[in-house]
Amino acid sequence: MTSCFNGGAGWPEPVVRVQAVSDTCGDTIPERYVKPLSERPSLSPAAADGAGGGPNIPVVDLSMPDADATSEAVAAACREWGFFQVVNHGVRPELLRSARAAWRGFFRQPAEVRERYANSPATYEGYGSRLGTAKGGPLDWGDYYFLHLLPPSLKSHDKWPSLPASLRETTEEYGEEVVQLCRRVMRLLSTGLGLEAGRLQAAFGREGGEGACMRVNFYPRCPQPELTLGVAAHSDPGGMTMLLVDDHVRGLQVRSPGDGKWITVDPVPDAFIVNIGDQIQVLSNAAYKSVEHRVSVSAAEDRLSMAFFYNPRSDLPIAPMPELVAPGRPALYPEMTFDEYRVFIRQRGLAGKAQLQSLQAKAAAGGCSAAAPADPAAAGGSPSSR
Protein backbone atom coordinates (compact mmCIF):
# COMPACT_ATOMS: atom_id res chain seq x y z
CA MET A 1 0.00 0.00 0.00
CA THR A 2 3.00 2.35 0.06
CA SER A 3 2.11 3.47 -3.45
CA CYS A 4 -1.19 4.85 -2.15
CA PHE A 5 -0.72 6.32 1.29
CA ASN A 6 1.48 7.08 4.24
CA GLY A 7 0.14 6.57 7.76
CA GLY A 8 2.98 8.56 9.35
CA ALA A 9 2.96 9.62 12.98
CA GLY A 10 1.07 12.78 13.79
CA TRP A 11 -1.44 12.79 10.98
CA PRO A 12 -5.07 12.11 12.01
CA GLU A 13 -5.60 9.64 9.16
CA PRO A 14 -3.61 7.94 6.37
CA VAL A 15 -2.12 10.49 3.97
CA VAL A 16 -3.04 9.71 0.38
CA ARG A 17 -0.51 10.64 -2.29
CA VAL A 18 -2.14 12.64 -5.06
CA GLN A 19 0.19 11.04 -7.60
CA ALA A 20 -1.35 7.68 -6.69
CA VAL A 21 -4.87 9.10 -6.89
CA SER A 22 -4.15 10.58 -10.32
CA ASP A 23 -2.89 7.21 -11.55
CA THR A 24 -5.89 5.24 -10.27
CA CYS A 25 -9.00 7.46 -10.11
CA GLY A 26 -10.00 7.22 -13.77
CA ASP A 27 -12.28 10.03 -14.92
CA THR A 28 -13.66 11.06 -11.50
CA ILE A 29 -11.75 12.57 -8.59
CA PRO A 30 -12.57 11.52 -4.99
CA GLU A 31 -15.05 13.71 -3.14
CA ARG A 32 -12.41 14.92 -0.64
CA TYR A 33 -10.75 16.93 -3.44
CA VAL A 34 -13.92 18.57 -4.77
CA LYS A 35 -14.13 22.21 -3.73
CA PRO A 36 -17.34 24.03 -2.85
CA LEU A 37 -18.92 25.69 -5.87
CA SER A 38 -17.84 29.18 -4.75
CA GLU A 39 -14.18 28.10 -4.55
CA ARG A 40 -13.85 26.25 -7.83
CA PRO A 41 -11.57 27.71 -10.50
CA SER A 42 -12.90 29.36 -13.61
CA LEU A 43 -10.92 27.65 -16.32
CA SER A 44 -11.17 29.49 -19.61
CA PRO A 45 -9.99 27.55 -22.68
CA ALA A 46 -6.81 29.68 -22.60
CA ALA A 47 -6.12 28.86 -18.95
CA ALA A 48 -6.85 25.19 -19.49
CA ASP A 49 -4.37 24.79 -22.33
CA GLY A 50 -1.68 27.11 -20.91
CA ALA A 51 -2.06 29.93 -23.44
CA GLY A 52 -1.32 33.51 -22.44
CA GLY A 53 -3.34 36.68 -22.82
CA GLY A 54 -5.38 38.87 -20.50
CA PRO A 55 -4.19 41.02 -17.58
CA ASN A 56 -0.95 40.16 -15.87
CA ILE A 57 0.96 41.17 -12.74
CA PRO A 58 3.67 43.87 -13.08
CA VAL A 59 7.14 42.98 -14.35
CA VAL A 60 10.22 44.69 -12.83
CA ASP A 61 13.65 44.65 -14.48
CA LEU A 62 16.28 44.51 -11.74
CA SER A 63 19.01 45.52 -14.19
CA MET A 64 17.67 49.07 -14.53
CA PRO A 65 20.54 51.52 -13.85
CA ASP A 66 18.33 53.88 -11.83
CA ALA A 67 18.08 52.36 -8.33
CA ASP A 68 15.37 54.81 -7.29
CA ALA A 69 13.24 53.91 -10.29
CA THR A 70 13.65 50.20 -9.51
CA SER A 71 12.62 50.74 -5.89
CA GLU A 72 9.62 52.80 -6.96
CA ALA A 73 8.51 50.10 -9.42
CA VAL A 74 8.77 47.38 -6.76
CA ALA A 75 6.93 49.50 -4.19
CA ALA A 76 4.14 50.37 -6.63
CA ALA A 77 3.62 46.70 -7.46
CA CYS A 78 3.51 45.76 -3.76
CA ARG A 79 1.09 48.52 -2.84
CA GLU A 80 -1.38 47.62 -5.59
CA TRP A 81 -0.90 43.94 -6.43
CA GLY A 82 1.28 42.39 -3.74
CA PHE A 83 2.81 40.46 -6.65
CA PHE A 84 5.33 41.15 -9.38
CA GLN A 85 7.73 39.30 -11.64
CA VAL A 86 11.46 40.04 -11.61
CA VAL A 87 13.65 39.66 -14.68
CA ASN A 88 17.41 40.11 -15.02
CA HIS A 89 17.61 39.12 -11.38
CA GLY A 90 21.09 37.62 -11.41
CA VAL A 91 20.24 33.95 -10.84
CA ARG A 92 21.59 31.99 -13.79
CA PRO A 93 18.92 30.50 -16.13
CA GLU A 94 20.93 27.25 -16.26
CA LEU A 95 20.59 26.92 -12.48
CA LEU A 96 16.82 27.47 -12.67
CA ARG A 97 16.50 24.69 -15.22
CA SER A 98 18.80 22.36 -13.27
CA ALA A 99 16.79 22.88 -10.09
CA ARG A 100 13.49 22.16 -11.84
CA ALA A 101 14.95 19.07 -13.50
CA ALA A 102 16.37 17.70 -10.24
CA TRP A 103 13.06 17.99 -8.42
CA ARG A 104 11.08 16.58 -11.32
CA GLY A 105 13.47 13.66 -11.04
CA PHE A 106 12.55 13.17 -7.38
CA PHE A 107 8.82 13.08 -8.06
CA ARG A 108 9.46 10.49 -10.78
CA GLN A 109 11.17 8.15 -8.32
CA PRO A 110 9.31 4.98 -7.31
CA ALA A 111 6.85 5.47 -4.46
CA GLU A 112 8.99 3.48 -2.02
CA VAL A 113 11.89 5.91 -2.60
CA ARG A 114 9.71 8.98 -2.05
CA GLU A 115 8.15 7.48 1.08
CA ARG A 116 11.54 7.32 2.81
CA TYR A 117 11.13 11.06 3.33
CA ALA A 118 7.46 11.12 4.44
CA ASN A 119 6.78 14.07 6.72
CA SER A 120 4.78 14.71 9.88
CA PRO A 121 2.83 17.81 10.98
CA ALA A 122 5.43 18.52 13.68
CA THR A 123 7.62 20.38 11.17
CA TYR A 124 6.18 19.48 7.72
CA GLU A 125 9.78 18.84 6.64
CA GLY A 126 9.96 16.16 3.96
CA TYR A 127 7.56 14.60 1.46
CA GLY A 128 3.92 15.50 2.08
CA SER A 129 0.45 15.74 0.63
CA ARG A 130 -1.59 17.86 3.01
CA LEU A 131 -1.60 20.92 5.26
CA GLY A 132 -3.57 21.15 8.46
CA THR A 133 -4.35 18.39 10.92
CA ALA A 134 -8.17 18.44 10.93
CA LYS A 135 -9.50 14.93 10.35
CA GLY A 136 -11.76 14.64 7.33
CA GLY A 137 -10.90 18.11 6.06
CA PRO A 138 -10.83 19.08 2.39
CA LEU A 139 -7.73 18.19 0.39
CA ASP A 140 -5.81 19.96 -2.36
CA TRP A 141 -4.69 18.27 -5.58
CA GLY A 142 -0.94 18.28 -4.99
CA ASP A 143 2.04 16.66 -3.30
CA TYR A 144 5.07 18.58 -2.06
CA TYR A 145 8.52 18.44 -0.52
CA PHE A 146 9.34 20.92 2.25
CA LEU A 147 12.87 21.69 3.46
CA HIS A 148 14.78 24.23 5.55
CA LEU A 149 17.72 26.36 4.38
CA LEU A 150 18.07 29.02 7.11
CA PRO A 151 18.97 29.22 9.91
CA PRO A 152 21.85 26.77 9.38
CA SER A 153 20.89 24.93 12.57
CA LEU A 154 17.71 23.71 10.86
CA LYS A 155 19.25 22.71 7.56
CA SER A 156 20.10 19.04 7.17
CA HIS A 157 21.10 17.53 3.85
CA ASP A 158 20.26 14.12 5.30
CA LYS A 159 16.61 15.18 5.21
CA TRP A 160 16.86 16.08 1.53
CA PRO A 161 16.34 13.40 -1.13
CA SER A 162 19.49 11.55 -2.19
CA LEU A 163 17.99 10.83 -5.62
CA PRO A 164 18.50 12.13 -8.22
CA ALA A 165 22.20 12.32 -7.39
CA SER A 166 22.41 15.99 -8.39
CA LEU A 167 19.52 17.16 -6.20
CA ARG A 168 21.29 18.07 -2.96
CA GLU A 169 24.14 19.99 -4.59
CA THR A 170 21.81 21.78 -7.00
CA THR A 171 19.35 22.70 -4.25
CA GLU A 172 22.16 24.05 -2.05
CA GLU A 173 23.47 26.28 -4.85
CA TYR A 174 19.95 27.38 -5.79
CA GLY A 175 19.15 28.24 -2.17
CA GLU A 176 22.30 30.33 -1.73
CA GLU A 177 21.57 32.39 -4.83
CA VAL A 178 17.90 32.92 -4.04
CA VAL A 179 18.73 34.08 -0.50
CA GLN A 180 20.97 36.77 -2.01
CA LEU A 181 18.18 37.80 -4.36
CA CYS A 182 15.72 38.00 -1.45
CA ARG A 183 18.08 40.28 0.47
CA ARG A 184 18.41 42.51 -2.58
CA VAL A 185 14.62 42.78 -2.97
CA MET A 186 14.27 43.49 0.77
CA ARG A 187 16.46 46.58 0.35
CA LEU A 188 14.23 47.77 -2.51
CA LEU A 189 11.11 47.16 -0.42
CA SER A 190 12.58 49.12 2.47
CA THR A 191 13.57 52.18 0.43
CA GLY A 192 10.17 52.01 -1.28
CA LEU A 193 8.65 52.70 2.15
CA GLY A 194 10.86 55.75 2.60
CA LEU A 195 13.10 53.94 5.09
CA GLU A 196 16.79 53.12 5.23
CA ALA A 197 17.71 50.26 2.88
CA GLY A 198 18.46 47.85 5.75
CA ARG A 199 15.47 48.68 7.93
CA LEU A 200 13.16 45.87 6.81
CA GLN A 201 16.01 43.36 6.97
CA ALA A 202 16.74 44.46 10.55
CA ALA A 203 13.11 43.75 11.44
CA PHE A 204 13.62 40.21 10.09
CA GLY A 205 16.62 39.64 12.38
CA ARG A 206 19.30 41.05 10.05
CA GLU A 207 21.26 39.08 7.43
CA GLY A 208 22.10 35.70 8.90
CA GLY A 209 19.28 35.87 11.44
CA GLU A 210 16.38 35.39 9.02
CA GLY A 211 14.64 32.15 8.09
CA ALA A 212 14.41 30.51 4.66
CA CYS A 213 12.67 27.36 3.55
CA MET A 214 11.38 25.88 0.32
CA ARG A 215 8.30 23.97 -0.73
CA VAL A 216 8.57 22.15 -4.05
CA ASN A 217 5.04 21.52 -5.32
CA PHE A 218 4.04 18.72 -7.67
CA TYR A 219 0.56 18.87 -9.18
CA PRO A 220 -0.30 15.65 -11.05
CA ARG A 221 -2.65 15.59 -14.01
CA CYS A 222 -6.28 15.83 -12.91
CA PRO A 223 -9.26 14.44 -14.85
CA GLN A 224 -11.60 17.13 -13.45
CA PRO A 225 -9.52 20.31 -13.00
CA GLU A 226 -12.67 22.45 -12.92
CA LEU A 227 -13.66 20.90 -9.56
CA THR A 228 -10.48 21.21 -7.51
CA LEU A 229 -7.37 23.28 -6.79
CA GLY A 230 -3.69 22.46 -6.44
CA VAL A 231 -3.55 24.89 -3.51
CA ALA A 232 -6.62 26.58 -2.03
CA ALA A 233 -6.90 30.38 -1.87
CA HIS A 234 -4.59 31.89 0.73
CA SER A 235 -2.07 34.61 1.44
CA ASP A 236 1.41 33.45 2.40
CA PRO A 237 1.93 33.57 6.18
CA GLY A 238 5.67 34.39 6.02
CA GLY A 239 7.64 37.40 4.86
CA MET A 240 8.19 37.15 1.11
CA THR A 241 7.93 34.35 -1.45
CA MET A 242 10.22 33.89 -4.45
CA LEU A 243 8.40 31.51 -6.79
CA LEU A 244 9.88 29.62 -9.73
CA VAL A 245 7.00 28.25 -11.75
CA ASP A 246 6.72 25.48 -14.29
CA ASP A 247 8.25 26.37 -17.64
CA HIS A 248 5.43 24.73 -19.62
CA VAL A 249 2.16 24.76 -17.65
CA ARG A 250 0.48 27.80 -16.12
CA GLY A 251 -1.53 27.52 -12.91
CA LEU A 252 -0.90 30.40 -10.47
CA GLN A 253 -3.99 32.58 -10.05
CA VAL A 254 -3.96 35.93 -8.22
CA ARG A 255 -6.93 37.92 -6.98
CA SER A 256 -7.07 41.16 -8.95
CA PRO A 257 -6.89 44.33 -6.82
CA GLY A 258 -9.45 46.05 -9.02
CA ASP A 259 -12.49 43.80 -9.26
CA GLY A 260 -11.43 40.90 -7.04
CA LYS A 261 -11.58 38.43 -9.92
CA TRP A 262 -9.01 35.69 -10.35
CA ILE A 263 -6.42 36.14 -13.07
CA THR A 264 -4.06 33.42 -14.28
CA VAL A 265 -0.49 34.70 -14.24
CA ASP A 266 1.37 34.49 -17.54
CA PRO A 267 4.98 33.83 -16.45
CA VAL A 268 7.89 35.53 -18.16
CA PRO A 269 10.54 32.92 -19.08
CA ASP A 270 13.31 32.61 -16.45
CA ALA A 271 11.60 35.16 -14.18
CA PHE A 272 10.80 34.79 -10.50
CA ILE A 273 7.33 35.65 -9.28
CA VAL A 274 7.64 37.60 -6.02
CA ASN A 275 4.82 38.08 -3.58
CA ILE A 276 4.45 39.83 -0.25
CA GLY A 277 3.59 37.65 2.75
CA ASP A 278 1.58 38.48 5.85
CA GLN A 279 4.64 39.41 7.94
CA ILE A 280 5.68 42.22 5.57
CA GLN A 281 2.08 43.42 5.41
CA VAL A 282 2.21 43.67 9.21
CA LEU A 283 5.64 45.36 9.31
CA SER A 284 4.62 47.86 6.63
CA ASN A 285 1.35 48.57 8.47
CA ALA A 286 -0.52 47.43 5.33
CA ALA A 287 1.34 49.74 2.95
CA TYR A 288 2.37 46.55 1.17
CA LYS A 289 -0.32 43.93 0.61
CA SER A 290 -0.21 40.17 0.97
CA VAL A 291 -2.73 39.10 -1.63
CA GLU A 292 -4.78 35.93 -1.96
CA HIS A 293 -3.67 33.48 -4.61
CA ARG A 294 -4.37 29.88 -5.52
CA VAL A 295 -3.26 27.21 -7.97
CA SER A 296 -5.32 25.54 -10.68
CA VAL A 297 -4.37 22.15 -12.11
CA SER A 298 -4.27 20.67 -15.59
CA ALA A 299 -5.97 17.70 -17.21
CA ALA A 300 -3.19 17.40 -19.78
CA GLU A 301 0.10 17.71 -17.89
CA ASP A 302 1.78 17.46 -14.50
CA ARG A 303 3.03 20.78 -13.12
CA LEU A 304 5.95 21.61 -10.80
CA SER A 305 6.78 24.84 -8.95
CA MET A 306 9.36 25.85 -6.35
CA ALA A 307 8.22 28.29 -3.65
CA PHE A 308 11.09 29.83 -1.67
CA PHE A 309 9.85 31.39 1.58
CA TYR A 310 11.95 34.18 3.10
CA ASN A 311 10.83 34.80 6.67
CA PRO A 312 11.65 36.79 9.81
CA ARG A 313 13.46 35.06 12.64
CA SER A 314 10.76 32.89 14.13
CA ASP A 315 11.00 34.10 17.75
CA LEU A 316 11.31 37.81 16.94
CA PRO A 317 8.28 40.01 17.77
CA ILE A 318 6.69 41.34 14.57
CA ALA A 319 4.52 44.47 14.61
CA PRO A 320 4.06 47.57 12.43
CA MET A 321 7.37 49.44 12.26
CA PRO A 322 7.13 52.59 14.42
CA GLU A 323 8.22 54.82 11.52
CA LEU A 324 5.02 53.83 9.70
CA VAL A 325 2.70 54.53 12.62
CA ALA A 326 1.31 58.03 13.20
CA PRO A 327 -1.67 59.67 14.94
CA GLY A 328 -3.63 59.48 11.70
CA ARG A 329 -2.29 56.04 10.85
CA PRO A 330 -2.51 53.80 13.93
CA ALA A 331 -0.89 50.38 14.12
CA LEU A 332 -3.24 47.94 12.41
CA TYR A 333 -1.85 44.75 13.98
CA PRO A 334 -0.75 43.62 17.46
CA GLU A 335 2.73 42.28 18.15
CA MET A 336 3.23 38.56 17.52
CA THR A 337 6.16 36.28 16.67
CA PHE A 338 6.18 34.30 13.43
CA ASP A 339 6.21 31.11 15.51
CA GLU A 340 2.96 32.20 17.17
CA TYR A 341 1.44 33.28 13.87
CA ARG A 342 2.01 30.03 12.00
CA VAL A 343 0.44 27.85 14.71
CA PHE A 344 -2.86 28.87 13.11
CA ILE A 345 -1.73 27.56 9.69
CA ARG A 346 -0.45 24.27 11.08
CA GLN A 347 -3.73 23.60 12.85
CA ARG A 348 -6.21 24.74 10.23
CA GLY A 349 -4.31 24.72 6.96
CA LEU A 350 -4.74 27.49 4.42
CA ALA A 351 -7.78 29.70 5.02
CA GLY A 352 -7.69 32.78 2.81
CA LYS A 353 -6.62 35.81 4.87
CA ALA A 354 -8.50 34.74 8.00
CA GLN A 355 -5.54 34.97 10.38
CA LEU A 356 -4.45 38.44 9.25
CA GLN A 357 -8.04 39.69 9.42
CA SER A 358 -8.43 38.34 12.95
CA LEU A 359 -5.26 40.18 14.01
CA GLN A 360 -6.55 43.41 12.52
CA ALA A 361 -9.84 42.99 14.39
CA LYS A 362 -7.88 42.43 17.61
CA ALA A 363 -5.91 45.63 17.04
CA ALA A 364 -9.08 47.59 16.33
CA ALA A 365 -10.48 46.33 19.64
CA GLY A 366 -7.50 47.76 21.50
CA GLY A 367 -5.06 44.84 21.55
CA CYS A 368 -2.26 46.61 19.68
CA SER A 369 1.09 47.31 21.28
CA ALA A 370 2.92 49.35 18.62
CA ALA A 371 2.99 53.12 18.94
CA ALA A 372 4.24 56.01 16.88
CA PRO A 373 7.62 57.44 17.88
CA ALA A 374 7.66 61.03 19.11
CA ASP A 375 10.21 61.83 16.40
CA PRO A 376 10.00 59.61 13.28
CA ALA A 377 13.63 60.38 12.36
CA ALA A 378 14.77 58.99 15.71
CA ALA A 379 13.41 55.57 14.72
CA GLY A 380 15.75 55.26 11.77
CA GLY A 381 13.79 56.73 8.90
CA SER A 382 11.03 59.07 7.79
CA PRO A 383 7.38 58.07 7.39
CA SER A 384 6.43 56.84 3.96
CA SER A 385 4.05 58.97 1.95
CA ARG A 386 1.09 57.04 0.66
Side-chain angles (χ1 to χ4, degrees):
M1 295 296 286
T2 55
S3 64
C4 294
F5 67 82
N6 158 53
W11 297 110
E13 55 198 340
V15 178
V16 180
R17 302 305 182 196
V18 179
Q19 275 183 272
V21 177
S22 176
D23 290 341
T24 59
C25 71
D27 296 331
T28 304
I29 65 175
E31 190 66 27
R32 289 280 298 277
Y33 297 94
V34 176
K35 301 298 181 184
L37 189 61
S38 62
E39 298 176 17
R40 294 176 190 173
S42 298
L43 297 179
S44 66
D49 66 14
N56 203 11
I57 60 176
V59 178
V60 178
D61 185 346
L62 292 189
S63 69
M64 289 191 295
D66 188 334
D68 290 340
T70 305
S71 178
E72 289 169 6
V74 167
C78 294
R79 292 178 189 278
E80 181 179 6
W81 283 90
F83 271 83
F84 59 99
Q85 300 191 62
V86 290
V87 297
N88 296 318
H89 43 66
V91 182
R92 294 176 292 109
E94 308 85 63
L95 181 57
L96 305 183
R97 293 163 197 153
S98 296
R100 284 196 198 99
W103 281 100
R104 283 195 183 105
F106 168 75
F107 285 102
R108 289 174 182 149
Q109 296 296 314
E112 57 268 22
V113 174
R114 288 180 270 124
E115 291 299 340
R116 294 173 192 165
Y117 303 96
N119 70 352
S120 81
T123 65
Y124 284 94
E125 191 169 14
Y127 176 50
S129 301
R130 64 180 292 166
L131 295 173
T133 55
K135 187 174 182 178
L139 298 173
D140 292 335
W141 191 267
D143 300 321
Y144 64 85
Y145 202 102
F146 182 82
L147 56 87
H148 290 287
L149 293 116
L150 289 176
S153 60
L154 291 181
K155 181 172 69 174
S156 172
H157 285 182
D158 291 339
K159 296 180 181 179
W160 300 6
S162 59
L163 294 173
S166 64
L167 187 145
R168 290 179 177 176
E169 182 179 353
T170 301
T171 300
E172 179 69 26
E173 183 180 3
Y174 178 84
E176 289 174 356
E177 294 207 18
V178 178
V179 164
Q180 294 305 315
L181 176 59
C182 288
R183 290 170 176 169
R184 181 181 177 190
V185 172
M186 287 282 281
R187 292 191 290 271
L188 295 170
L189 291 170
S190 195
T191 55
L193 290 168
L195 306 176
E196 295 294 329
R199 179 64 179 93
L200 197 54
Q201 188 74 58
F204 266 45
R206 304 190 184 280
E207 291 188 7
E210 72 271 65
C213 51
M214 186 165 70
R215 175 175 151 148
V216 183
N217 304 294
F218 185 79
Y219 307 107
R221 288 172 293 176
C222 178
Q224 294 177 299
E226 71 282 0
L227 298 183
T228 191
L229 290 165
V231 179
H234 66 288
S235 62
D236 288 351
M240 175 175 63
T241 304
M242 197 73 61
L243 179 69
L244 180 65
V245 297
D246 197 283
D247 47 357
H248 298 296
V249 186
R250 298 192 311 158
L252 176 65
Q253 297 184 332
V254 175
R255 194 180 288 281
S256 168
D259 54 17
K261 293 181 179 179
W262 293 101
I263 67 162
T264 300
V265 174
D266 192 16
V268 176
D270 297 328
F272 280 101
I273 297 173
V274 185
N275 67 277
I276 296 300
D278 293 348
Q279 304 307 302
I280 287 183
Q281 177 165 328
V282 169
L283 286 165
S284 71
N285 207 23
Y288 293 154
K289 307 294 191 297
S290 68
V291 172
E292 278 189 286
H293 50 287
R294 65 186 188 183
V295 177
S296 63
V297 293
S298 169
E301 297 183 76
D302 300 333
R303 179 175 179 270
L304 181 137
S305 69
M306 300 173 63
F308 192 96
F309 303 114
Y310 190 73
N311 300 323
R313 200 180 80 196
S314 63
D315 61 349
L316 200 64
I318 299 295
M321 291 185 287
E323 304 95 309
L324 305 179
V325 177
R329 179 66 172 175
L332 298 177
Y333 310 99
E335 183 178 275
M336 178 179 287
T337 69
F338 184 41
D339 271 340
E340 293 168 336
Y341 189 88
R342 59 187 171 185
V343 166
F344 175 90
I345 306 298
R346 289 181 171 174
Q347 290 175 342
R348 294 184 50 185
L350 301 173
K353 289 180 68 71
Q355 173 69 337
L356 205 57
Q357 290 166 349
S358 70
L359 282 181
Q360 192 162 352
K362 180 180 177 181
C368 216
S369 60
D375 178 4
S382 59
S384 169
S385 60
R386 183 161 185 257

